Amino acid sequence: MNQQEQENVSEEFFPKGAITFFVIMIVLFVIMWLSIYFEVLSRG
Amino acid sequence: MKSYVMKIDKSNRYLMGVLLIIPMIFLVLGVYGGLMQTLFRAGIIQSDPFMGPDYYKGLTMHGVLNALVFTTFFAVAFGNAVVSYALRMKLNMTWAWVSGILMLVGSALATLMIYIGEATVLYTFYPPLKAHPLFYIGLTLLVVGSWVAFWNWIPLYLKWRRENPGEKTPLSVVGIFTTFIVWQIATIPVAVEILFMLLPWSMGLVNEINAMLARTLFWFFGHPLVYFWLLPAYVMYYSYMPKLAGGKLYSDMAGRLVFMMFIVFSIPVGTHHQYMDPAIGAQWKLLHGFFTFMVALPSLITAFTLAASLEYAGRKRGGKGLFGWMFKLPYFDRDRWLFSYLIAGLVIFIFGGISGIVNASYQLNTAVHNTAWVPGHFHLTVAGPVLLAFMGMSLYLLSRYLNKPVKMKGWALSMPYIWTIGVFIFSWGMMRGGLIGMPRRTNTGPSYANQDSALYQPEWISYIDISVVGGVIMTLSVVIFAVVFFATVFAKQKEGEATLEFPTTEPYHDEDVPWLKNFKPWVIAAIIIIVLAYTPVIIDVLQSTAGGSPPFSPENPAPLR
């Protein structure tokens, strides 16, 4: 990557990857939490 | 931000050598105890004791040495380095040595008492299990030593504030002060427990102890203790990791907000460890559960901010697309070996975080309480981001303060990844087993994992075996680290004088937020919430309990007197 491209990264940076990662992580949290929730429900 | 190189004088070098090397010996001893736990629990070791401590003595050593001694020493050593470096001021070495000596004497006393079998009380030291008074005195000295270290930094900070009016305190110093503000507040209830309850009872001055009140005071301290472990790792994540990755911290404000939120919410949460205890009203447990969810917020903010910082670094290094940046980070760069310790810890912490949310959920806790799920979870936190960050930074500081090159950098780099594999396998076995009732703490070897026992539980066996595999891999990685660490200790000194330089990160967004510049309002808010959250809990405990318990030891179901 040349100097100009690196400067563009600095100027235009928007963390779209981090936002997507964060959303996926929250979905993972919800799935894992619900799996334990249904485990508790299944015990009656 | 201009880079700065701090010269290290001889007294500082010797002190830091002691503060970094001695606890590493304690850590290795504790890890040996941990390996023995998995082998005992699987019934692989039948003789009790085997090559040293028996099961419960080993479990006590594992918890006390790894979770209390190693972590406290590291936090103090790291604080000494960060405060003097970031404020560019010299520590008062007399008080720094007093602090170190108090911690050393205290740790040696506590360890000796455990080793000779006079303190088999696990790291929670719940009564009615009784330890020798010197065990409690040892722990008290360890804590007082850490207080002295903190008090030694305060005049430096105040002087820096006077000399730099209007300037933002360096983020790393905000993080270290947050760590020790939380520690200072949280160690008061456990000091009350030790000095006014456990010590007189252990010395025979009083016959009985209110076990429920002691447990409550322990968890008043015990959960903030988790943040005392985590926060130094957060300092590294915010202040150093983005630079190690080749980028900048996405938001300086996020880091400051996170630290202040920890001051407010990390203490009034302890009752979530006591959801199944009697004597405390359900409404107060629910309130502590609510605050526990609040304290998850700064960790979620951290997850996003660090991901954004790493994305920035990855894109600067040529990463394209939505996730291409993830593949451009310096995971295997020998010159940035410290990055591997931080990133591996963060990956582990994703799973430590969600399993902690399960623990903190009042109803879900019924499914996992007192099962192997719990140690499965906390090995993904204290033995994940905390341990790896502490080990990596211990090696980094050691090489700087002793002015020696890090030896076997390739092995140093590989250690956190091997550990990650091990801890995932271990915790998977423990947590899955916990969900079908496998207990924590109990030595399952002679009972539930023994085919000849009436208690035999065949459905637990595979999970116990999985945890053995994980435990062995984790131990191997610690052996690798110990070899690297002590090879560095005994390496030839480099030319020139010892100097310290931290890879301090610049912020991408450097917001100026006045309400995040001062600790005072946040500390006041914390004290108000703690009083509101804990007053009714203590009243409930005092009203619901009568009399007390005589002392017991794990060897005998009859009281000791």
Side-chain angles (χ1 to χ4, degrees):
Chain A
M1 185 177 261
N2 62 35
Q3 183 75 24
Q4 185 60 45
E5 280 175 318
Q6 285 199 4
E7 281 170 13
N8 288 345
V9 168
S10 300
E11 286 162 14
E12 299 163 8
F13 177 63
F14 178 76
K16 58 184 179 188
I19 291 169
T20 313
F21 163 79
F22 188 76
V23 170
I24 292 171
M25 193 184 79
I26 295 296
V27 170
L28 178 69
F29 276 24
V30 170
I31 291 170
M32 290 176 75
W33 192 91
L34 285 175
S35 70
I36 308 295
Y37 180 74
F38 287 117
E39 168 74 29
V40 174
L41 285 187
S42 71
R43 293 179 186 182
Chain B
M1 195 175 291
K2 284 180 192 163
S3 65
Y4 166 62
V5 178
M6 184 177 88
K7 289 181 183 169
I8 297 166
D9 61 37
K10 199 186 271 185
S11 175
N12 210 346
R13 195 164 79 229
Y14 287 142
L15 174 68
M16 289 295 276
V18 169
L19 292 180
L20 293 167
I21 295 169
I22 305 270
M24 201 53 70
I25 297 168
F26 283 125
L27 178 79
V28 171
L29 282 174
V31 168
Y32 170 75
L35 174 67
M36 290 297 113
Q37 299 312 299
T38 61
L39 301 180
F40 272 124
R41 282 175 66 94
I44 294 170
I45 294 174
Q46 301 279 347
S47 67
D48 193 10
F50 173 82
M51 283 180 69
D54 64 27
Y55 180 81
Y56 287 105
K57 197 197 284 184
L59 188 52
T60 307
M61 282 183 78
H62 182 56
V64 170
L65 298 188
N66 289 7
L68 297 179
V69 174
F70 171 70
T71 52
T72 307
F73 267 89
F74 176 80
V76 166
F78 186 49
N80 279 341
V82 167
V83 171
S84 55
Y85 176 85
L87 299 182
R88 303 185 183 192
M89 287 183 176
K90 237 177 108 47
L91 284 178
N92 179 323
M93 290 309 297
T94 307
W95 287 112
W97 272 105
V98 169
S99 146
I101 290 167
L102 283 171
M103 292 199 302
L104 265 181
V105 173
S107 303
L109 272 181
T111 307
L112 179 66
M113 289 303 111
I114 297 169
Y115 189 74
I116 63 173
E118 290 290 337
T120 306
V121 292
L122 312 190
Y123 104 101
T124 45
F125 46 86
Y126 288 153
L129 287 179
K130 184 189 80 76
H132 192 281
L134 287 178
F135 173 77
Y136 301 120
I137 291 170
L139 289 186
T140 305
L141 292 177
L142 174 67
V143 170
V144 171
S146 67
W147 286 354
V148 171
F150 178 43
W151 299 339
N152 195 25
W153 306 330
I154 294 172
L156 298 188
Y157 172 65
L158 295 176
K159 185 167 178 248
W160 185 90
R161 288 281 299 257
R162 281 195 303 274
E163 291 174 357
N164 298 275
E167 268 196 47
K168 282 202 279 190
T169 307
L171 186 56
S172 56
V173 176
V174 172
I176 288 295
F177 269 68
T178 299
T179 308
F180 279 81
I181 288 169
V182 169
W183 179 244
Q184 183 70 67
I185 299 173
T187 43
I188 292 170
V190 80
V192 170
E193 182 200 357
I194 289 178
L195 296 178
F196 297 106
M197 297 178 72
L198 292 170
L199 205 49
W201 174 69
S202 168
M203 294 166 77
L205 301 176
V206 293
N207 288 324
E208 294 182 336
I209 193 165
N210 184 333
M212 194 59 218
L213 180 60
R215 282 170 69 87
T216 305
L217 290 172
F218 178 84
W219 285 115
F220 198 151
F221 151 82
H223 198 78
L225 171 66
V226 172
Y227 302 109
F228 177 69
W229 298 332
L230 266 178
L231 284 166
Y234 274 43
V235 171
M236 293 176 231
Y237 291 147
Y238 276 102
S239 296
Y240 311 139
M241 191 163 86
K243 179 150 185 184
L244 287 169
K248 293 180 179 180
L249 175 62
Y250 184 63
S251 167
D252 178 78
M253 181 189 76
R256 288 169 200 274
L257 178 64
V258 160
F259 287 127
M260 296 305 167
M261 287 179 79
F262 273 118
I263 291 177
V264 176
F265 293 116
S266 60
I267 299 171
V269 296
T271 307
H272 81 250
H273 288 261
Q274 296 177 277
Y275 281 151
M276 301 301 133
D277 280 12
I280 300 171
Q283 70 276 32
W284 309 125
K285 292 175 180 173
L286 191 63
L287 181 69
H288 282 231
F290 170 76
F291 285 133
T292 311
F293 277 83
M294 290 301 291
V295 84
L297 282 180
S299 288
L300 291 175
I301 295 171
T302 299
F304 171 73
T305 309
L306 296 180
S309 306
L310 294 177
E311 181 180 354
Y312 179 81
R315 291 200 186 284
K316 272 189 79 173
R317 297 164 68 93
K320 303 274 187 204
L322 208 52
F323 295 124
W325 53 274
M326 288 186 179
F327 303 100
K328 294 288 182 182
L329 297 173
Y331 303 105
F332 299 104
D333 184 341
R334 283 177 182 231
D335 294 330
R336 303 179 198 218
W337 56 269
L338 184 56
F339 180 79
S340 63
Y341 288 77
L342 302 180
I343 192 71
L346 274 181
V347 172
I348 297 170
F349 195 33
I350 292 173
F351 299 92
I354 178 56
S355 52
I357 293 289
V358 169
N359 296 348
S361 303
Y362 202 161
Q363 292 303 320
L364 299 201
N365 189 273
T366 55
V368 298
H369 191 83
N370 254 346
T371 70
W373 166 283
V374 179
H377 150 72
F378 67 63
H379 278 81
L380 295 173
T381 55
V382 67
V386 175
L387 181 76
L388 291 179
F390 285 21
M391 289 173 108
M393 185 51 76
S394 292
L395 183 60
Y396 184 88
L397 291 175
L398 182 89
S399 82
R400 294 298 187 280
Y401 274 85
L402 299 192
N403 197 27
K404 296 186 175 188
V406 172
K407 304 299 279 186
M408 298 186 278
K409 272 191 189 168
W411 286 107
L413 182 78
S414 67
M415 181 270 165
Y417 300 124
I418 299 171
W419 176 269
T420 303
I421 294 167
V423 80
F424 274 146
I425 294 172
F426 170 81
S427 287
W428 169 254
M430 296 293 275
M431 290 165 75
R432 285 296 304 160
L435 283 175
I436 55 170
M438 194 167 89
R440 66 184 294 196
R441 296 197 182 97
T442 307
N443 185 2
T444 50
S447 52
Y448 305 115
N450 178 2
Q451 286 189 33
D452 299 329
S453 166
L455 297 169
Y456 182 56
Q457 297 285 337
E459 68 273 27
W460 294 353
I461 298 300
S462 56
Y463 297 118
I464 292 175
D465 291 344
I466 288 170
S467 68
V468 172
V469 173
V472 169
I473 296 172
M474 290 157 78
T475 307
L476 272 179
S477 74
V478 170
V479 170
I480 290 170
F481 182 85
V483 170
V484 171
F485 187 88
F486 287 102
T488 304
V489 170
F490 294 111
K492 197 178 164 198
Q493 259 193 357
K494 290 192 281 191
E495 295 288 325
E497 58 186 338
T499 57
L500 176 65
E501 187 177 7
F502 280 118
T504 310
T505 303
E506 283 182 52
Y508 181 76
H509 291 294
D510 192 9
E511 309 91 337
D512 189 29
V513 186
W515 47 273
L516 289 174
K517 281 185 173 174
N518 196 337
F519 287 107
K520 207 179 287 174
W522 301 90
V523 173
I524 292 169
I527 291 170
I528 291 170
I529 294 178
I530 291 165
V531 170
L532 291 176
Y534 259 107
T535 304
V537 170
I538 300 289
I539 290 172
D540 266 11
V541 170
L542 290 175
Q543 286 182 340
S544 310
T545 51
S549 172
F552 286 82
S553 82
E555 288 87 28
N556 194 329
L560 292 173
R561 58 173 184 254

